[in-house]
Structure formats: C-alpha cells, structure tokens
Coordinates of all heavy atoms in Angstrom, one line a residue:
M1 N 7.7 5.6 -4.5 CA 9.0 5.5 -5.2 C 8.7 4.7 -6.5 O 8.0 3.7 -6.5 CB 10.0 4.7 -4.3 CG 11.3 4.5 -5.1 SD 12.5 3.9 -3.9 CE 13.8 3.6 -5.0
I2 N 9.2 5.1 -7.6 CA 9.0 4.5 -8.9 C 10.2 3.5 -9.0 O 11.3 3.8 -9.0 CB 9.0 5.5 -10.0 CG1 7.9 6.5 -9.8 CG2 9.0 4.8 -11.4 CD1 7.9 7.7 -10.7
P3 N 9.8 2.2 -9.3 CA 10.9 1.2 -9.6 C 11.8 1.6 -10.7 O 11.4 2.2 -11.7 CB 10.1 -0.1 -9.9 CG 8.7 0.1 -9.4 CD 8.5 1.6 -9.4
T4 N 13.1 1.3 -10.6 CA 14.1 1.7 -11.6 C 13.7 1.2 -13.0 O 13.8 2.0 -13.9 CB 15.5 1.1 -11.2 OG1 15.8 1.5 -9.9 CG2 16.5 1.5 -12.2
E5 N 13.2 0.0 -13.1 CA 12.8 -0.5 -14.4 C 11.7 0.4 -15.0 O 11.8 0.7 -16.2 CB 12.4 -1.9 -14.3 CG 12.0 -2.6 -15.6 CD 11.6 -4.0 -15.4 OE1 12.5 -4.9 -15.4 OE2 10.4 -4.3 -15.4
V6 N 10.7 0.8 -14.3 CA 9.7 1.6 -14.7 C 10.2 3.0 -15.1 O 9.9 3.6 -16.2 CB 8.5 1.7 -13.7 CG1 7.5 2.7 -14.2 CG2 7.9 0.4 -13.4
A7 N 11.0 3.6 -14.3 CA 11.6 4.9 -14.4 C 12.5 4.9 -15.7 O 12.4 5.9 -16.5 CB 12.5 5.3 -13.3
E8 N 13.2 3.9 -16.0 CA 14.0 3.8 -17.2 C 13.1 3.6 -18.5 O 13.5 4.2 -19.5 CB 15.0 2.6 -17.1 CG 16.0 2.9 -16.1 CD 17.0 1.7 -15.9 OE1 16.7 0.6 -16.5 OE2 18.0 1.8 -15.2
T9 N 12.0 3.0 -18.3 CA 11.1 2.8 -19.5 C 10.2 4.0 -19.7 O 9.9 4.3 -20.9 CB 10.2 1.5 -19.2 OG1 11.0 0.4 -19.0 CG2 9.3 1.3 -20.4
L10 N 9.9 4.6 -18.6 CA 9.0 5.8 -18.7 C 9.6 7.0 -18.0 O 9.2 7.4 -16.9 CB 7.6 5.5 -18.1 CG 6.8 4.4 -18.6 CD1 5.6 4.0 -17.8 CD2 6.3 4.7 -20.1
P11 N 10.6 7.6 -18.7 CA 11.3 8.7 -17.9 C 10.4 9.9 -17.6 O 10.8 10.7 -16.8 CB 12.5 9.0 -18.9 CG 12.1 8.5 -20.2 CD 11.2 7.4 -19.9
E12 N 9.4 10.0 -18.3 CA 8.5 11.2 -18.1 C 7.6 11.0 -16.9 O 6.9 11.9 -16.3 CB 7.6 11.5 -19.3 CG 6.6 10.4 -19.7 CD 7.2 9.2 -20.5 OE1 8.4 9.2 -20.7 OE2 6.4 8.3 -20.8
L13 N 7.5 9.8 -16.3 CA 6.7 9.4 -15.2 C 7.0 10.2 -13.9 O 6.1 10.8 -13.3 CB 6.6 7.9 -14.9 CG 5.6 7.5 -13.8 CD1 4.2 7.9 -14.1 CD2 5.8 6.0 -13.6
A14 N 8.2 10.3 -13.5 CA 8.7 10.9 -12.3 C 8.3 12.4 -12.4 O 7.7 13.0 -11.4 CB 10.1 10.7 -12.0
P15 N 8.7 13.2 -13.5 CA 8.3 14.6 -13.5 C 6.8 14.8 -13.5 O 6.3 15.7 -12.9 CB 8.9 15.1 -14.8 CG 10.0 14.1 -15.2 CD 9.5 12.8 -14.6
F16 N 6.1 13.9 -14.2 CA 4.6 14.0 -14.2 C 4.1 13.8 -12.7 O 3.2 14.6 -12.3 CB 4.0 12.9 -15.1 CG 2.5 12.9 -15.1 CD1 1.8 13.9 -15.7 CD2 1.8 11.9 -14.4 CE1 0.4 13.8 -15.7 CE2 0.4 11.8 -14.4 CZ -0.2 12.8 -15.0
A17 N 4.6 12.8 -12.0 CA 4.1 12.5 -10.7 C 4.4 13.7 -9.8 O 3.6 14.1 -8.9 CB 4.8 11.3 -10.1
R18 N 5.6 14.3 -9.9 CA 6.0 15.4 -9.1 C 5.1 16.6 -9.4 O 4.7 17.3 -8.5 CB 7.5 15.8 -9.3 CG 8.4 15.0 -8.6 CD 9.8 15.6 -8.6 NE 10.4 15.8 -9.9 CZ 11.1 14.9 -10.6 NH1 11.2 13.7 -10.2 NH2 11.5 15.1 -11.9
A19 N 4.8 16.9 -10.6 CA 3.9 17.9 -11.0 C 2.5 17.8 -10.5 O 1.9 18.7 -10.0 CB 3.8 18.1 -12.6
V20 N 2.0 16.6 -10.5 CA 0.6 16.3 -10.0 C 0.6 16.5 -8.5 O -0.3 17.1 -7.9 CB 0.2 14.9 -10.4 CG1 -1.0 14.5 -9.6 CG2 -0.1 14.8 -11.9
Q21 N 1.6 16.0 -7.8 CA 1.7 16.0 -6.3 C 1.9 17.5 -5.9 O 1.6 17.8 -4.7 CB 2.8 15.1 -5.8 CG 2.4 13.7 -6.0 CD 3.6 12.8 -5.7 OE1 4.7 13.2 -5.5 NE2 3.3 11.5 -5.6
A22 N 2.4 18.4 -6.7 CA 2.7 19.7 -6.3 C 1.5 20.6 -6.5 O 1.5 21.8 -6.1 CB 3.8 20.3 -7.1
R23 N 0.4 20.1 -7.0 CA -0.8 20.9 -7.2 C -2.0 20.3 -6.6 O -2.1 19.1 -6.3 CB -1.0 21.0 -8.7 CG 0.0 21.9 -9.4 CD 0.1 21.7 -10.9 NE 1.2 22.5 -11.5 CZ 2.4 22.3 -11.5 NH1 2.9 21.2 -10.9 NH2 3.3 23.1 -12.0
R24 N -3.1 21.1 -6.4 CA -4.3 20.6 -5.9 C -5.1 20.0 -7.0 O -4.9 20.4 -8.1 CB -5.0 21.7 -5.2 CG -4.3 22.3 -4.0 CD -5.2 23.1 -3.0 NE -6.5 22.5 -2.7 CZ -6.7 21.6 -1.8 NH1 -5.8 21.0 -1.2 NH2 -7.9 21.2 -1.6
P25 N -5.9 19.0 -6.7 CA -6.7 18.3 -7.8 C -7.5 19.2 -8.7 O -7.7 19.0 -9.8 CB -7.5 17.3 -7.0 CG -6.8 17.0 -5.7 CD -6.1 18.4 -5.4
E26 N -8.1 20.3 -8.0 CA -9.0 21.2 -8.8 C -8.2 22.3 -9.5 O -8.9 23.1 -10.2 CB -10.1 21.7 -7.8 CG -9.5 22.6 -6.7 CD -9.0 21.9 -5.5 OE1 -9.1 20.7 -5.4 OE2 -8.6 22.6 -4.6
D27 N -6.9 22.4 -9.4 CA -6.2 23.4 -10.1 C -6.3 23.2 -11.6 O -6.4 22.1 -12.1 CB -4.7 23.4 -9.7 CG -4.4 23.9 -8.3 OD1 -5.3 24.5 -7.7 OD2 -3.3 23.7 -7.8
G28 N -6.2 24.3 -12.3 CA -6.2 24.3 -13.8 C -4.9 23.8 -14.3 O -3.9 23.6 -13.7
T29 N -4.9 23.5 -15.7 CA -3.7 23.0 -16.3 C -3.6 23.8 -17.6 O -4.4 24.7 -17.9 CB -3.9 21.6 -16.7 OG1 -4.9 21.3 -17.7 CG2 -4.1 20.7 -15.5
W30 N -2.6 23.6 -18.5 CA -2.4 24.2 -19.7 C -3.6 23.9 -20.7 O -3.9 24.6 -21.6 CB -1.1 23.8 -20.4 CG 0.1 24.5 -19.7 CD1 0.9 24.0 -18.8 CD2 0.5 25.8 -19.9 NE1 1.8 24.9 -18.4 CE2 1.6 26.1 -19.1 CE3 0.0 26.9 -20.8 CZ2 2.3 27.3 -19.1 CZ3 0.8 28.0 -20.8 CH2 1.8 28.3 -19.9
C31 N -4.2 22.7 -20.4 CA -5.5 22.4 -21.2 C -6.6 23.1 -20.4 O -7.0 22.7 -19.4 CB -5.7 20.9 -21.2 SG -4.4 20.0 -22.0
E32 N -7.0 24.3 -20.9 CA -7.9 25.2 -20.2 C -9.1 24.5 -19.6 O -9.5 24.9 -18.5 CB -8.3 26.3 -21.1 CG -7.2 27.3 -21.4 CD -7.7 28.5 -22.2 OE1 -9.0 28.8 -22.2 OE2 -6.9 29.1 -22.8
A33 N -9.7 23.6 -20.2 CA -11.0 23.0 -19.6 C -10.7 21.8 -18.7 O -11.6 21.2 -18.1 CB -11.9 22.5 -20.8
W34 N -9.4 21.5 -18.5 CA -9.0 20.3 -17.7 C -8.4 20.7 -16.4 O -7.5 21.5 -16.3 CB -8.1 19.4 -18.4 CG -8.7 18.6 -19.6 CD1 -9.6 19.2 -20.5 CD2 -8.6 17.3 -19.9 NE1 -9.9 18.2 -21.4 CE2 -9.3 17.1 -21.0 CE3 -7.8 16.3 -19.3 CZ2 -9.4 15.8 -21.6 CZ3 -7.9 15.1 -19.9 CH2 -8.7 14.8 -21.1
T35 N -8.8 20.1 -15.3 CA -8.1 20.2 -14.0 C -7.0 19.2 -13.9 O -6.9 18.3 -14.7 CB -9.1 20.0 -12.8 OG1 -9.5 18.7 -12.9 CG2 -10.2 21.0 -12.9
V36 N -6.2 19.3 -12.8 CA -5.1 18.3 -12.5 C -5.8 17.0 -12.4 O -5.3 16.0 -12.9 CB -4.3 18.7 -11.3 CG1 -3.4 17.6 -10.8 CG2 -3.5 20.0 -11.6
R37 N -6.9 17.0 -11.7 CA -7.7 15.7 -11.5 C -8.0 15.1 -12.8 O -7.9 13.9 -13.1 CB -8.9 15.9 -10.6 CG -9.7 14.6 -10.5 CD -11.0 14.8 -9.7 NE -10.8 15.0 -8.3 CZ -11.0 16.3 -7.7 NH1 -11.4 17.3 -8.4 NH2 -10.8 16.4 -6.4
D38 N -8.5 15.9 -13.8 CA -8.9 15.4 -15.1 C -7.8 14.8 -15.8 O -7.9 13.7 -16.4 CB -9.5 16.6 -15.9 CG -10.8 17.1 -15.4 OD1 -11.6 16.4 -14.7 OD2 -11.0 18.3 -15.6
V39 N -6.7 15.4 -15.8 CA -5.5 14.9 -16.5 C -5.0 13.6 -15.8 O -4.7 12.6 -16.6 CB -4.3 16.0 -16.5 CG1 -3.1 15.3 -17.1 CG2 -4.7 17.2 -17.3
L40 N -5.0 13.6 -14.6 CA -4.6 12.4 -13.8 C -5.5 11.2 -14.2 O -5.1 10.1 -14.4 CB -4.5 12.6 -12.4 CG -4.0 11.4 -11.5 CD1 -2.6 11.0 -12.0 CD2 -3.9 11.8 -10.1
I41 N -6.8 11.4 -14.1 CA -7.8 10.4 -14.4 C -7.6 9.9 -15.8 O -7.6 8.7 -16.1 CB -9.2 11.0 -14.2 CG1 -9.6 11.1 -12.7 CG2 -10.3 10.0 -14.9 CD1 -10.9 11.8 -12.4
H42 N -7.4 10.9 -16.8 CA -7.2 10.5 -18.2 C -6.0 9.6 -18.4 O -6.1 8.6 -19.0 CB -7.2 11.8 -19.0 CG -7.1 11.5 -20.5 ND1 -8.0 10.9 -21.2 CD2 -6.0 11.8 -21.3 CE1 -7.7 10.9 -22.5 NE2 -6.5 11.3 -22.6
Q43 N -4.9 10.0 -17.8 CA -3.7 9.3 -17.9 C -3.7 7.9 -17.2 O -3.1 6.9 -17.7 CB -2.5 10.1 -17.4 CG -2.2 11.3 -18.2 CD -1.9 11.0 -19.7 OE1 -1.5 9.9 -20.1 NE2 -2.0 12.0 -20.5
T44 N -4.4 7.8 -16.1 CA -4.6 6.5 -15.4 C -5.4 5.6 -16.3 O -5.0 4.4 -16.5 CB -5.3 6.8 -14.1 OG1 -4.5 7.6 -13.2 CG2 -5.5 5.5 -13.3
G45 N -6.5 6.1 -16.9 CA -7.3 5.3 -17.8 C -6.5 4.8 -19.0 O -6.6 3.7 -19.4
N46 N -5.7 5.7 -19.5 CA -4.8 5.4 -20.7 C -3.8 4.3 -20.3 O -3.6 3.3 -21.1 CB -4.1 6.6 -21.2 CG -4.9 7.6 -21.9 OD1 -6.0 7.3 -22.3 ND2 -4.4 8.8 -22.1
A47 N -3.2 4.4 -19.2 CA -2.2 3.5 -18.7 C -2.8 2.1 -18.5 O -2.2 1.1 -18.9 CB -1.5 3.9 -17.5
E48 N -4.0 2.1 -17.8 CA -4.6 0.8 -17.6 C -5.1 0.1 -18.9 O -5.0 -1.1 -19.1 CB -5.8 1.0 -16.7 CG -5.3 1.2 -15.3 CD -6.4 1.1 -14.3 OE1 -7.6 1.0 -14.5 OE2 -6.0 1.0 -13.0
E49 N -5.5 0.9 -19.9 CA -6.0 0.4 -21.1 C -4.9 -0.2 -21.9 O -4.9 -1.3 -22.5 CB -6.8 1.5 -21.9 CG -7.3 1.0 -23.3 CD -8.5 0.0 -23.1 OE1 -8.8 -0.4 -22.0 OE2 -8.9 -0.5 -24.1
L50 N -3.7 0.5 -21.9 CA -2.5 0.1 -22.6 C -2.0 -1.2 -22.0 O -1.7 -2.2 -22.7 CB -1.4 1.1 -22.6 CG -0.1 0.7 -23.2 CD1 -0.3 0.4 -24.7 CD2 0.9 1.8 -23.1
A51 N -2.0 -1.3 -20.7 CA -1.6 -2.6 -20.0 C -2.5 -3.7 -20.4 O -2.1 -4.9 -20.7 CB -1.5 -2.4 -18.5
R52 N -3.8 -3.5 -20.4 CA -4.8 -4.5 -20.7 C -4.7 -5.0 -22.2 O -4.6 -6.2 -22.4 CB -6.2 -3.9 -20.5 CG -7.3 -4.9 -20.6 CD -8.7 -4.3 -20.4 NE -9.1 -3.5 -21.5 CZ -9.6 -4.0 -22.7 NH1 -9.9 -5.3 -22.7 NH2 -9.9 -3.2 -23.7
V53 N -4.5 -4.1 -23.1 CA -4.3 -4.5 -24.5 C -3.0 -5.2 -24.7 O -3.0 -6.2 -25.4 CB -4.5 -3.2 -25.4 CG1 -4.1 -3.5 -26.8 CG2 -5.9 -2.6 -25.3
L54 N -1.9 -4.7 -24.2 CA -0.6 -5.3 -24.4 C -0.6 -6.8 -23.7 O -0.1 -7.7 -24.3 CB 0.5 -4.5 -23.7 CG 0.8 -3.2 -24.5 CD1 1.9 -2.4 -23.8 CD2 1.3 -3.6 -25.9
E55 N -1.2 -6.9 -22.6 CA -1.3 -8.2 -21.9 C -2.0 -9.2 -22.8 O -1.6 -10.3 -23.1 CB -2.0 -8.1 -20.5 CG -2.0 -9.4 -19.8 CD -2.6 -9.2 -18.4 OE1 -3.7 -8.6 -18.3 OE2 -2.0 -9.7 -17.5
A56 N -3.2 -8.8 -23.4 CA -3.9 -9.6 -24.3 C -3.1 -10.0 -25.6 O -3.0 -11.1 -26.0 CB -5.2 -9.0 -24.7
F57 N -2.4 -8.9 -26.1 CA -1.6 -9.1 -27.3 C -0.5 -10.2 -27.0 O -0.3 -11.1 -27.9 CB -1.0 -7.8 -27.7 CG 0.0 -7.9 -28.9 CD1 -0.4 -8.1 -30.2 CD2 1.4 -7.9 -28.6 CE1 0.5 -8.3 -31.2 CE2 2.3 -8.0 -29.6 CZ 1.8 -8.2 -30.9
L58 N 0.2 -10.0 -25.9 CA 1.3 -10.9 -25.6 C 0.8 -12.3 -25.3 O 1.5 -13.3 -25.5 CB 2.1 -10.4 -24.4 CG 2.9 -9.1 -24.6 CD1 3.5 -8.6 -23.3 CD2 4.0 -9.3 -25.7
A59 N -0.5 -12.5 -24.9 CA -1.1 -13.8 -24.7 C -1.6 -14.3 -26.0 O -2.1 -15.5 -26.0 CB -2.1 -13.7 -23.6
G60 N -1.6 -13.6 -27.0 CA -2.1 -14.0 -28.4 C -3.6 -14.0 -28.4 O -4.3 -14.7 -29.2
A61 N -4.3 -13.2 -27.5 CA -5.7 -13.1 -27.4 C -6.2 -11.9 -28.1 O -5.6 -10.8 -27.9 CB -6.2 -13.2 -26.0
P62 N -7.3 -12.0 -28.9 CA -7.8 -10.7 -29.4 C -8.5 -9.9 -28.3 O -9.0 -10.4 -27.3 CB -8.9 -11.2 -30.4 CG -9.3 -12.6 -29.9 CD -8.1 -13.1 -29.2
V63 N -8.4 -8.6 -28.4 CA -9.0 -7.7 -27.4 C -9.5 -6.5 -28.1 O -8.9 -5.9 -29.0 CB -8.0 -7.3 -26.3 CG1 -6.9 -6.6 -26.8 CG2 -8.7 -6.6 -25.2
E64 N -10.6 -6.0 -27.7 CA -11.2 -4.7 -28.3 C -10.8 -3.6 -27.3 O -10.8 -3.8 -26.1 CB -12.7 -4.8 -28.3 CG -13.2 -5.4 -29.6 CD -14.7 -5.2 -29.8 OE1 -15.2 -4.1 -29.5 OE2 -15.4 -6.1 -30.1
A65 N -10.3 -2.5 -27.9 CA -10.0 -1.3 -27.1 C -11.3 -0.8 -26.6 O -12.4 -0.8 -27.2 CB -9.3 -0.3 -27.9
R66 N -11.3 -0.3 -25.4 CA -12.5 0.4 -24.8 C -12.4 1.9 -25.0 O -11.4 2.4 -25.3 CB -12.5 0.1 -23.2 CG -12.6 -1.3 -22.9 CD -12.6 -1.5 -21.4 NE -11.4 -1.1 -20.8 CZ -11.2 -0.9 -19.5 NH1 -12.1 -1.1 -18.7 NH2 -10.0 -0.5 -19.1
G67 N -13.6 2.5 -24.8 CA -13.6 4.0 -25.0 C -13.3 4.6 -23.7 O -12.7 4.1 -22.8
F68 N -13.6 5.9 -23.7 CA -13.2 6.7 -22.4 C -14.1 6.4 -21.2 O -13.9 6.9 -20.2 CB -13.3 8.2 -22.8 CG -12.1 8.5 -23.7 CD1 -12.4 8.8 -25.0 CD2 -10.8 8.6 -23.3 CE1 -11.4 9.1 -25.9 CE2 -9.8 8.9 -24.1 CZ -10.1 9.1 -25.4
D69 N -15.0 5.4 -21.4 CA -15.8 4.9 -20.2 C -14.9 4.3 -19.2 O -15.2 4.1 -18.1 CB -16.9 4.0 -20.6 CG -16.4 2.8 -21.4 OD1 -15.5 3.0 -22.3 OD2 -16.9 1.7 -21.2
R70 N -13.7 3.9 -19.7 CA -12.7 3.3 -18.8 C -12.3 4.2 -17.7 O -11.7 3.8 -16.7 CB -11.4 2.8 -19.6 CG -10.7 4.0 -20.2 CD -9.5 3.5 -21.0 NE -8.8 4.5 -21.7 CZ -8.7 4.7 -23.0 NH1 -9.3 3.9 -23.8 NH2 -8.0 5.7 -23.5
E71 N -12.5 5.5 -17.8 CA -12.2 6.5 -16.8 C -13.2 6.7 -15.7 O -13.0 7.2 -14.7 CB -11.9 7.9 -17.5 CG -10.7 7.8 -18.4 CD -10.6 9.1 -19.2 OE1 -11.3 10.1 -18.9 OE2 -9.7 9.2 -20.1
A72 N -14.4 6.2 -16.0 CA -15.5 6.3 -15.1 C -15.3 6.0 -13.6 O -15.6 6.7 -12.7 CB -16.8 5.6 -15.6
P73 N -14.6 4.9 -13.3 CA -14.4 4.5 -11.9 C -13.5 5.6 -11.2 O -13.6 5.7 -9.9 CB -13.6 3.2 -11.9 CG -13.9 2.6 -13.3 CD -14.1 3.8 -14.2
Y74 N -12.8 6.4 -11.9 CA -11.9 7.4 -11.3 C -12.6 8.8 -11.1 O -12.0 9.6 -10.4 CB -10.6 7.5 -12.0 CG -9.9 6.2 -12.1 CD1 -10.0 5.4 -13.2 CD2 -9.3 5.7 -11.0 CE1 -9.4 4.2 -13.3 CE2 -8.6 4.5 -11.0 CZ -8.7 3.7 -12.2 OH -8.1 2.5 -12.2
H75 N -13.7 9.0 -11.7 CA -14.4 10.3 -11.6 C -15.1 10.5 -10.2 O -15.3 11.6 -9.8 CB -15.3 10.5 -12.8 CG -14.7 10.9 -14.0 ND1 -14.2 12.2 -14.2 CD2 -14.3 10.2 -15.1 CE1 -13.6 12.2 -15.4 NE2 -13.7 11.0 -15.9
R76 N -15.5 9.4 -9.6 CA -16.2 9.5 -8.3 C -15.5 8.6 -7.4 O -16.1 7.6 -7.0 CB -17.7 9.2 -8.5 CG -18.4 10.2 -9.2 CD -19.9 10.0 -9.0 NE -20.7 11.1 -9.5 CZ -21.0 12.2 -8.8 NH1 -20.6 12.3 -7.6 NH2 -21.7 13.2 -9.3
P77 N -14.3 8.9 -6.9 CA -13.7 8.0 -5.9 C -14.5 8.0 -4.7 O -15.0 8.9 -4.2 CB -12.3 8.7 -5.7 CG -12.5 10.1 -6.1 CD -13.6 10.2 -7.1
D78 N -14.6 6.8 -4.1 CA -15.3 6.5 -2.9 C -14.3 5.7 -2.0 O -13.3 5.3 -2.4 CB -16.6 5.9 -3.1 CG -16.6 4.6 -3.8 OD1 -15.7 3.9 -3.7 OD2 -17.5 4.4 -4.6
R79 N -14.8 5.3 -0.8 CA -13.9 4.5 0.1 C -13.5 3.2 -0.5 O -12.4 2.7 -0.2 CB -14.7 4.3 1.4 CG -14.8 5.5 2.2 CD -15.4 5.2 3.5 NE -14.5 4.3 4.2 CZ -14.9 3.6 5.3 NH1 -16.0 3.8 5.9 NH2 -14.0 2.8 5.9
D80 N -14.3 2.7 -1.4 CA -14.0 1.4 -2.0 C -13.6 1.5 -3.4 O -13.4 0.5 -4.1 CB -15.2 0.4 -1.9 CG -15.5 0.1 -0.4 OD1 -14.6 0.0 0.4 OD2 -16.7 0.1 -0.1
G81 N -13.4 2.7 -4.0 CA -13.0 2.9 -5.4 C -11.6 2.6 -5.6 O -10.7 2.6 -4.7
P82 N -11.2 2.3 -6.8 CA -9.9 1.9 -7.2 C -8.8 3.0 -6.9 O -7.7 2.7 -6.6 CB -9.9 1.5 -8.6 CG -11.2 2.1 -9.2 CD -12.1 2.3 -8.0
L83 N -9.2 4.2 -7.2 CA -8.3 5.3 -7.0 C -7.9 5.4 -5.5 O -6.7 5.6 -5.2 CB -8.9 6.7 -7.5 CG -8.0 7.8 -7.5 CD1 -6.8 7.6 -8.4 CD2 -8.7 9.1 -7.9
L84 N -8.8 5.4 -4.6 CA -8.5 5.6 -3.2 C -7.8 4.3 -2.7 O -6.9 4.5 -1.9 CB -9.8 5.9 -2.4 CG -10.3 7.3 -2.6 CD1 -11.5 7.5 -1.6 CD2 -9.3 8.3 -2.3
R85 N -8.1 3.2 -3.2 CA -7.5 1.9 -2.7 C -6.0 2.0 -3.1 O -5.1 1.7 -2.3 CB -8.1 0.7 -3.4 CG -9.3 0.2 -2.6 CD -9.7 -1.2 -3.0 NE -9.7 -1.5 -4.4 CZ -10.8 -1.3 -5.2 NH1 -11.9 -0.9 -4.7 NH2 -10.7 -1.6 -6.5
R86 N -5.7 2.4 -4.3 CA -4.3 2.5 -4.8 C -3.5 3.6 -4.0 O -2.4 3.5 -3.6 CB -4.3 2.7 -6.2 CG -4.6 1.5 -7.0 CD -4.5 1.7 -8.5 NE -4.9 0.4 -9.1 CZ -5.3 0.3 -10.3 NH1 -5.4 1.4 -11.1 NH2 -5.7 -0.8 -10.8
A87 N -4.2 4.8 -3.8 CA -3.5 5.9 -3.1 C -3.3 5.4 -1.7 O -2.1 5.7 -1.2 CB -4.4 7.1 -3.1
H88 N -4.2 4.8 -1.1 CA -4.0 4.4 0.3 C -2.9 3.3 0.4 O -2.0 3.4 1.3 CB -5.3 3.8 0.9 CG -5.1 3.4 2.3 ND1 -4.9 4.3 3.4 CD2 -5.2 2.2 2.9 CE1 -4.8 3.7 4.5 NE2 -5.0 2.4 4.2
A89 N -2.9 2.4 -0.5 CA -1.8 1.4 -0.6 C -0.5 1.9 -0.7 O 0.6 1.3 -0.2 CB -2.1 0.3 -1.7
R90 N -0.3 3.1 -1.3 CA 1.0 3.7 -1.6 C 1.3 4.7 -0.5 O 2.2 5.5 -0.6 CB 1.0 4.3 -3.0 CG 1.1 3.3 -4.0 CD 1.0 3.9 -5.4 NE 1.2 3.0 -6.5 CZ 0.3 2.1 -6.9 NH1 -0.9 2.1 -6.4 NH2 0.6 1.3 -7.9
G91 N 0.4 4.8 0.5 CA 0.7 5.7 1.6 C 0.3 7.1 1.4 O 0.6 8.0 2.2
A92 N -0.5 7.4 0.4 CA -1.0 8.7 0.0 C -2.1 9.1 1.0 O -2.8 8.3 1.6 CB -1.5 8.8 -1.4
D93 N -2.2 10.4 1.2 CA -3.3 11.0 2.0 C -4.5 11.1 1.1 O -4.6 12.0 0.3 CB -2.9 12.3 2.6 CG -4.0 12.9 3.4 OD1 -5.1 12.3 3.6 OD2 -3.8 14.1 3.9
P94 N -5.6 10.3 1.2 CA -6.8 10.4 0.4 C -7.4 11.8 0.4 O -8.0 12.2 -0.6 CB -7.7 9.3 0.9 CG -6.8 8.3 1.6 CD -5.7 9.2 2.2
A95 N -7.3 12.5 1.5 CA -7.9 13.9 1.5 C -7.3 14.8 0.5 O -7.9 15.7 0.0 CB -7.6 14.4 2.9
R96 N -6.0 14.6 0.1 CA -5.4 15.4 -0.9 C -6.0 15.2 -2.3 O -5.8 15.9 -3.2 CB -3.9 15.1 -1.0 CG -3.1 15.7 0.1 CD -1.7 15.7 -0.1 NE -1.4 16.0 -1.5 CZ -0.7 17.0 -1.9 NH1 -0.1 17.8 -1.0 NH2 -0.4 17.3 -3.2
L97 N -6.8 14.1 -2.5 CA -7.4 13.9 -3.8 C -8.6 14.8 -4.0 O -9.1 14.9 -5.1 CB -7.9 12.4 -3.9 CG -6.8 11.4 -3.7 CD1 -7.4 10.0 -3.7 CD2 -5.9 11.5 -4.9
G98 N -9.0 15.5 -3.0 CA -10.1 16.5 -3.2 C -11.5 15.9 -3.1 O -11.6 14.7 -2.9
P99 N -12.5 16.8 -3.2 CA -13.9 16.3 -3.0 C -14.3 15.4 -4.2 O -13.8 15.6 -5.3 CB -14.6 17.6 -2.9 CG -13.8 18.6 -3.7 CD -12.4 18.2 -3.5
D100 N -15.3 14.6 -3.9 CA -15.9 13.9 -5.1 C -16.5 14.9 -6.0 O -16.9 16.0 -5.7 CB -17.0 12.9 -4.5 CG -16.5 11.8 -3.8 OD1 -15.2 11.6 -3.8 OD2 -17.3 11.1 -3.2
R101 N -16.6 14.4 -7.3 CA -17.2 15.3 -8.3 C -18.6 14.9 -8.5 O -19.0 13.8 -8.4 CB -16.4 15.2 -9.6 CG -15.0 15.6 -9.4 CD -14.3 15.4 -10.6 NE -14.0 16.7 -11.2 CZ -13.9 16.9 -12.4 NH1 -14.0 16.0 -13.3 NH2 -13.6 18.2 -12.8

C-alpha cells in the first residue's frame, strides 16, 4: 500500500506499480531494448539518487550526483541484495522477480 502522502505527491506511482506487478520481469516494454525489470531497476536507481541528493541539499551539504552505476546492486539480486530485502519486507514473493541476470 502506498501511503496517502506519497500517492498525493507522486500520483503516477500507483499506476506504475500496478503495471509492473501485472507483468513478468522479463517482458518487453515500449522501450524496445528494455524489459520490465530494466525499467524498474532504472526507476529505483533514479528514486534513490533523487532522495540522496535532496537529503544532502536540505542538510546544506554538497553532494555529487552518481552515474548509472547506482543501478548495479539491483541487476543481480541475491538473498542479501537490497531489491530482495525490500520486496520481502513488503510481503512480495521474491520468485516473481525472475531469475538473476
């Protein structure tokens, strides 16, 4: 469940989550070279980077933006990886995330 405050701030999040959950990770997307997993990994990396940069900004601390290497932990989920930890914490079935790449 998406908290009301988050849903009001990011109205596109609920439709995005429904679309991702309705497809298999290896399914294609409108971006021909990208799978559902690729899009989810990319958006997760973007969200975490934005949160990191905004947190530093609000604290008055300088911060350098990272490159797309920020997505690396999500490309090979394992039992101790952040993607599976978060999915499990939210009650998701890790098997639905598909095979490791």
Side-chain angles (χ1 to χ4, degrees):
M1 179 172 177
I2 299 172
T4 301
E5 182 179 280
V6 174
E8 290 173 355
T9 304
L10 301 169
E12 65 280 1
L13 182 58
F16 177 76
R18 280 194 301 274
V20 167
Q21 292 171 347
R23 290 162 180 82
R24 296 197 44 81
E26 65 276 0
D27 286 350
T29 67
W30 284 99
C31 299
E32 288 185 23
W34 289 45
T35 64
V36 170
R37 178 186 288 110
D38 295 328
V39 172
L40 184 57
I41 287 170
H42 183 66
Q43 293 301 339
T44 301
N46 288 343
E48 288 192 348
E49 184 67 0
L50 179 59
R52 190 181 71 82
V53 170
L54 287 176
E55 184 176 47
F57 173 78
L58 293 173
V63 64
E64 276 191 42
R66 296 180 298 166
F68 291 105
D69 57 320
R70 65 185 179 241
E71 298 173 6
Y74 301 102
H75 281 285
R76 288 196 173 271
D78 56 38
R79 287 186 61 191
D80 297 320
L83 184 62
L84 287 184
R85 278 198 310 271
R86 287 184 181 158
H88 182 68
R90 288 176 174 79
D93 178 4
R96 285 193 40 119
L97 297 175
D100 286 352
R101 300 175 109 207

